[in-house]
Amino acid sequence: MIKYTVFPDYFSLSKAAAERIIRQIKHNPLTLLGLATGSTPIGLYARLIDQHRRGKLSLSRVTTFNLDEYVGIPKDHPQSYHVFMQKHLFDHVDIPPARRHFPDTDKSGTQYDLQIMRSGGLDVQILGIGANGHIGFNEPGAAFDSKTRVVELAESTIRDNARFFDHSDEVPRQAITMGIATILQARHIILMANGANKAAAVAAAFQERPSVNVPASCLQTHHSVHVLLDTAAAGDLS
Protein backbone atom coordinates (compact mmCIF):
# COMPACT_ATOMS: atom_id res chain seq x y z
CA MET A 1 0.00 0.00 0.00
CA ILE A 2 1.36 3.39 -0.99
CA LYS A 3 0.32 6.56 0.80
CA TYR A 4 1.26 9.97 -0.61
CA THR A 5 1.63 13.22 1.28
CA VAL A 6 2.57 16.44 -0.50
CA PHE A 7 4.13 19.34 1.40
CA PRO A 8 4.65 22.96 0.37
CA ASP A 9 8.41 22.88 0.85
CA TYR A 10 11.45 20.83 1.81
CA PHE A 11 11.43 21.99 5.43
CA SER A 12 7.92 20.72 6.14
CA LEU A 13 8.62 17.49 4.23
CA SER A 14 11.73 16.85 6.34
CA LYS A 15 9.90 17.66 9.57
CA ALA A 16 7.12 15.22 8.74
CA ALA A 17 9.60 12.46 7.88
CA ALA A 18 11.45 13.05 11.15
CA GLU A 19 8.22 12.94 13.15
CA ARG A 20 7.49 9.49 11.72
CA ILE A 21 10.94 8.26 12.72
CA ILE A 22 10.65 9.82 16.18
CA ARG A 23 7.29 8.11 16.77
CA GLN A 24 8.79 4.80 15.68
CA ILE A 25 11.77 5.13 18.06
CA LYS A 26 9.59 6.18 21.00
CA HIS A 27 7.30 3.22 20.28
CA ASN A 28 10.26 0.86 19.98
CA PRO A 29 13.62 2.14 21.31
CA LEU A 30 15.28 -0.92 19.73
CA THR A 31 14.25 0.18 16.24
CA LEU A 32 16.38 -0.91 13.27
CA LEU A 33 16.66 1.95 10.78
CA GLY A 34 17.80 1.74 7.19
CA LEU A 35 19.53 5.03 6.38
CA ALA A 36 19.99 6.87 3.11
CA THR A 37 22.55 9.47 2.10
CA GLY A 38 22.49 12.27 -0.48
CA SER A 39 20.96 15.70 -0.06
CA THR A 40 17.36 14.53 0.42
CA PRO A 41 17.50 13.19 4.02
CA ILE A 42 19.75 15.93 5.44
CA GLY A 43 16.76 17.89 6.75
CA LEU A 44 15.36 14.76 8.37
CA TYR A 45 18.64 14.10 10.15
CA ALA A 46 18.87 17.73 11.25
CA ARG A 47 15.46 17.41 12.91
CA LEU A 48 16.51 14.23 14.74
CA ILE A 49 19.65 16.03 15.97
CA ASP A 50 17.57 18.98 17.16
CA GLN A 51 15.20 16.77 19.13
CA HIS A 52 18.13 14.88 20.65
CA ARG A 53 19.86 18.10 21.72
CA ARG A 54 16.63 19.28 23.34
CA GLY A 55 16.56 16.09 25.40
CA LYS A 56 13.40 14.86 23.67
CA LEU A 57 14.92 11.91 21.81
CA SER A 58 17.45 9.21 22.58
CA LEU A 59 18.79 6.91 19.89
CA SER A 60 21.08 4.99 22.23
CA ARG A 61 19.39 1.65 21.52
CA VAL A 62 18.72 2.22 17.82
CA THR A 63 20.62 0.13 15.27
CA THR A 64 21.30 1.52 11.79
CA PHE A 65 22.12 -0.05 8.46
CA ASN A 66 23.15 2.23 5.63
CA LEU A 67 21.91 1.64 2.11
CA ASP A 68 25.19 1.94 0.29
CA GLU A 69 28.78 3.10 0.05
CA TYR A 70 31.13 3.99 -2.75
CA VAL A 71 33.74 1.52 -3.92
CA GLY A 72 37.28 2.77 -4.52
CA ILE A 73 37.56 5.58 -1.98
CA PRO A 74 38.61 5.16 1.68
CA LYS A 75 36.09 5.43 4.51
CA ASP A 76 37.67 8.71 5.65
CA HIS A 77 37.38 10.33 2.20
CA PRO A 78 35.35 13.57 2.48
CA GLN A 79 32.75 12.19 0.06
CA SER A 80 32.44 8.70 1.54
CA TYR A 81 29.11 7.88 3.07
CA HIS A 82 30.82 7.01 6.34
CA VAL A 83 31.94 10.65 6.56
CA PHE A 84 28.55 11.89 5.36
CA MET A 85 26.77 10.05 8.16
CA GLN A 86 29.26 11.28 10.75
CA LYS A 87 28.75 14.87 9.61
CA HIS A 88 24.98 14.83 9.27
CA LEU A 89 23.93 12.49 12.08
CA PHE A 90 26.30 10.24 14.00
CA ASP A 91 28.57 12.95 15.47
CA HIS A 92 25.52 14.66 17.01
CA VAL A 93 23.40 11.86 18.48
CA ASP A 94 23.93 8.94 20.84
CA ILE A 95 23.81 5.94 18.51
CA PRO A 96 26.71 3.75 19.73
CA PRO A 97 29.36 3.09 17.04
CA ALA A 98 28.83 -0.66 17.43
CA ARG A 99 25.22 -0.20 16.31
CA ARG A 100 26.11 1.60 13.05
CA HIS A 101 26.53 -0.61 10.00
CA PHE A 102 27.56 -0.07 6.37
CA PRO A 103 27.86 -2.48 3.48
CA ASP A 104 31.54 -3.26 3.02
CA THR A 105 33.44 -4.61 0.04
CA ASP A 106 35.70 -6.43 2.52
CA LYS A 107 32.70 -8.65 3.29
CA SER A 108 30.16 -10.26 1.01
CA GLY A 109 26.78 -8.69 0.38
CA THR A 110 25.27 -11.92 1.66
CA GLN A 111 26.89 -11.29 5.05
CA TYR A 112 25.31 -7.82 5.20
CA ASP A 113 21.86 -9.17 4.38
CA LEU A 114 22.28 -11.90 6.99
CA GLN A 115 23.39 -9.34 9.57
CA ILE A 116 20.22 -7.33 8.96
CA MET A 117 18.06 -10.43 9.20
CA ARG A 118 19.77 -11.75 12.33
CA SER A 119 19.36 -8.35 13.98
CA GLY A 120 15.62 -8.65 13.55
CA GLY A 121 15.04 -6.98 10.18
CA LEU A 122 14.63 -3.31 9.32
CA ASP A 123 11.68 -1.59 10.94
CA VAL A 124 11.88 1.47 8.69
CA GLN A 125 13.90 2.04 5.52
CA ILE A 126 14.47 5.65 4.49
CA LEU A 127 14.88 6.19 0.75
CA GLY A 128 15.49 8.96 -1.70
CA ILE A 129 15.03 8.54 -5.43
CA GLY A 130 17.44 9.30 -8.25
CA ALA A 131 16.43 11.27 -11.32
CA ASN A 132 16.63 7.98 -13.24
CA GLY A 133 14.46 6.20 -10.68
CA HIS A 134 17.23 4.47 -8.76
CA ILE A 135 16.92 3.63 -5.05
CA GLY A 136 20.12 3.02 -3.15
CA PHE A 137 22.45 2.40 -6.06
CA ASN A 138 20.07 0.01 -7.77
CA GLU A 139 20.27 1.50 -11.24
CA PRO A 140 17.80 0.90 -14.10
CA GLY A 141 17.91 -2.76 -15.02
CA ALA A 142 18.44 -3.99 -11.45
CA ALA A 143 16.45 -7.14 -10.78
CA PHE A 144 13.70 -6.91 -8.20
CA ASP A 145 15.13 -9.99 -6.47
CA SER A 146 18.63 -8.49 -6.17
CA LYS A 147 20.47 -8.57 -2.85
CA THR A 148 23.36 -6.50 -1.45
CA ARG A 149 26.18 -6.43 -4.01
CA VAL A 150 28.73 -4.29 -5.88
CA VAL A 151 27.24 -2.47 -8.87
CA GLU A 152 28.37 -0.28 -11.73
CA LEU A 153 26.96 3.24 -11.51
CA ALA A 154 24.96 4.66 -14.42
CA GLU A 155 26.50 7.57 -16.28
CA SER A 156 23.59 9.77 -15.21
CA THR A 157 24.30 8.96 -11.56
CA ILE A 158 27.99 9.69 -12.01
CA ARG A 159 27.11 13.06 -13.55
CA ASP A 160 24.65 13.85 -10.74
CA ASN A 161 27.27 13.00 -8.09
CA ALA A 162 30.06 14.94 -9.78
CA ARG A 163 28.96 18.13 -7.99
CA PHE A 164 30.26 16.66 -4.73
CA PHE A 165 33.79 16.10 -6.09
CA ASP A 166 36.47 18.54 -7.22
CA HIS A 167 36.80 16.83 -10.61
CA SER A 168 34.41 14.56 -12.47
CA ASP A 169 37.10 11.91 -12.93
CA GLU A 170 37.24 11.53 -9.12
CA VAL A 171 33.64 10.26 -8.93
CA PRO A 172 33.59 6.52 -8.14
CA ARG A 173 32.25 4.27 -10.89
CA GLN A 174 31.13 1.52 -8.51
CA ALA A 175 29.25 1.22 -5.24
CA ILE A 176 28.08 -1.49 -2.90
CA THR A 177 24.35 -1.26 -2.28
CA MET A 178 21.50 -3.02 -0.58
CA GLY A 179 19.58 -4.88 -3.24
CA ILE A 180 15.96 -4.26 -4.11
CA ALA A 181 14.90 -7.47 -2.38
CA THR A 182 16.82 -6.38 0.73
CA ILE A 183 15.02 -3.02 0.74
CA LEU A 184 11.62 -4.64 0.26
CA GLN A 185 12.12 -6.77 3.36
CA ALA A 186 11.82 -3.66 5.56
CA ARG A 187 8.55 -3.51 7.49
CA HIS A 188 7.92 0.10 6.52
CA ILE A 189 9.46 2.33 3.86
CA ILE A 190 9.59 6.13 3.74
CA LEU A 191 10.55 7.60 0.38
CA MET A 192 11.37 11.31 0.30
CA ALA A 193 11.68 13.43 -2.83
CA ASN A 194 11.99 17.15 -3.37
CA GLY A 195 12.59 19.34 -6.38
CA ALA A 196 11.30 19.44 -9.93
CA ASN A 197 14.21 17.30 -11.13
CA LYS A 198 12.65 14.33 -9.31
CA ALA A 199 9.10 14.80 -10.64
CA ALA A 200 9.44 12.57 -13.70
CA ALA A 201 11.06 9.77 -11.70
CA VAL A 202 8.35 9.94 -9.03
CA ALA A 203 5.59 9.75 -11.63
CA ALA A 204 7.26 6.86 -13.45
CA ALA A 205 7.83 4.97 -10.19
CA PHE A 206 4.30 5.20 -8.89
CA GLN A 207 1.99 5.77 -11.86
CA GLU A 208 3.37 3.30 -14.37
CA ARG A 209 3.51 -0.48 -14.16
CA PRO A 210 6.46 -1.81 -12.12
CA SER A 211 9.51 -2.22 -14.32
CA VAL A 212 13.21 -2.87 -13.78
CA ASN A 213 13.76 0.22 -15.95
CA VAL A 214 12.51 2.29 -13.00
CA PRO A 215 13.89 0.57 -9.87
CA ALA A 216 11.74 2.59 -7.44
CA SER A 217 8.63 1.15 -9.09
CA CYS A 218 9.31 -2.02 -7.09
CA LEU A 219 7.83 -0.18 -4.11
CA GLN A 220 4.38 -0.67 -5.62
CA THR A 221 4.65 -4.30 -4.47
CA HIS A 222 5.34 -3.40 -0.82
CA HIS A 223 2.63 -3.40 1.84
CA SER A 224 3.63 -0.18 3.65
CA VAL A 225 5.21 2.72 1.75
CA HIS A 226 4.79 6.39 2.63
CA VAL A 227 5.87 8.75 -0.15
CA LEU A 228 6.65 12.26 1.11
CA LEU A 229 6.98 14.91 -1.60
CA ASP A 230 7.24 18.63 -1.96
CA THR A 231 4.99 20.28 -4.53
CA ALA A 232 7.74 20.38 -7.15
CA ALA A 233 8.51 16.65 -6.90
CA ALA A 234 4.79 15.90 -7.09
CA GLY A 235 4.40 18.05 -10.19
CA ASP A 236 4.04 15.21 -12.70
CA LEU A 237 1.60 13.12 -10.66
CA SER A 238 -1.89 13.01 -12.09
Side-chain angles (χ1 to χ4, degrees):
M1 176 181 176
I2 297 176
K3 180 179 179 181
Y4 304 91
T5 309
V6 180
F7 299 89
D9 52 43
Y10 176 72
F11 175 81
S12 54
L13 183 163
S14 300
K15 181 179 178 182
E19 287 172 351
R20 285 164 174 76
I21 299 299
I22 291 166
R23 285 198 299 271
Q24 169 65 34
I25 294 170
K26 289 185 175 180
H27 172 73
N28 177 15
L30 291 170
T31 288
L32 269 70
L33 285 180
L35 302 181
T37 52
S39 58
T40 302
I42 290 176
L44 158 62
Y45 297 150
R47 179 73 175 176
L48 297 182
I49 292 167
D50 176 71
Q51 293 299 293
H52 174 69
R53 286 176 172 169
R54 293 172 181 264
K56 297 181 178 180
L57 178 68
S58 173
L59 297 92
S60 62
R61 301 172 71 191
V62 169
T63 300
T64 65
F65 288 87
N66 263 73
L67 266 174
D68 42 33
E69 178 57 285
Y70 285 123
V71 172
I73 60 174
K75 295 176 182 178
D76 60 356
H77 186 285
Q79 297 305 328
S80 78
Y81 290 152
H82 283 72
V83 171
F84 176 98
M85 292 306 308
Q86 291 293 140
K87 177 180 178 181
H88 293 291
L89 184 64
F90 293 154
D91 280 351
H92 313 286
V93 296
D94 56 344
I95 303 172
R99 290 183 173 270
R100 311 168 190 169
H101 305 286
F102 290 80
D104 190 340
T105 54
D106 291 338
K107 302 176 182 178
S108 72
T110 300
Q111 286 178 283
Y112 196 62
D113 290 336
L114 284 173
Q115 188 175 23
I116 294 171
M117 183 174 65
R118 289 170 178 167
S119 298
L122 296 174
D123 292 299
V124 183
Q125 175 65 61
I126 299 164
L127 296 175
I129 184 171
N132 65 358
H134 73 240
I135 50 175
F137 275 127
N138 294 285
E139 301 283 15
F144 285 1
D145 63 355
S146 58
K147 298 295 186 70
T148 301
R149 70 213 183 282
V150 173
V151 297
E152 302 290 330
L153 301 185
E155 286 300 320
S156 60
T157 300
I158 293 169
R159 288 195 300 272
D160 288 345
N161 291 347
R163 68 186 187 276
F164 301 118
F165 293 80
D166 291 335
H167 302 286
S168 59
D169 58 1
E170 295 178 358
V171 185
R173 267 53 182 173
Q174 291 183 316
I176 183 167
T177 184
M178 280 189 199
I180 289 175
T182 309
I183 292 168
L184 291 176
Q185 288 173 350
R187 294 179 183 87
H188 304 283
I189 294 173
I190 296 174
L191 183 139
M192 305 169 63
N194 66 290
N197 64 316
K198 300 297 179 69
V202 168
F206 299 110
Q207 292 195 326
E208 298 177 9
R209 295 185 66 177
S211 167
V212 296
N213 296 321
V214 184
S217 67
C218 72
L219 300 177
Q220 294 182 41
T221 69
H222 196 275
H223 66 278
S224 178
V225 179
H226 202 150
V227 180
L228 307 181
L229 310 168
D230 70 359
T231 52
D236 287 358
L237 292 174
S238 59

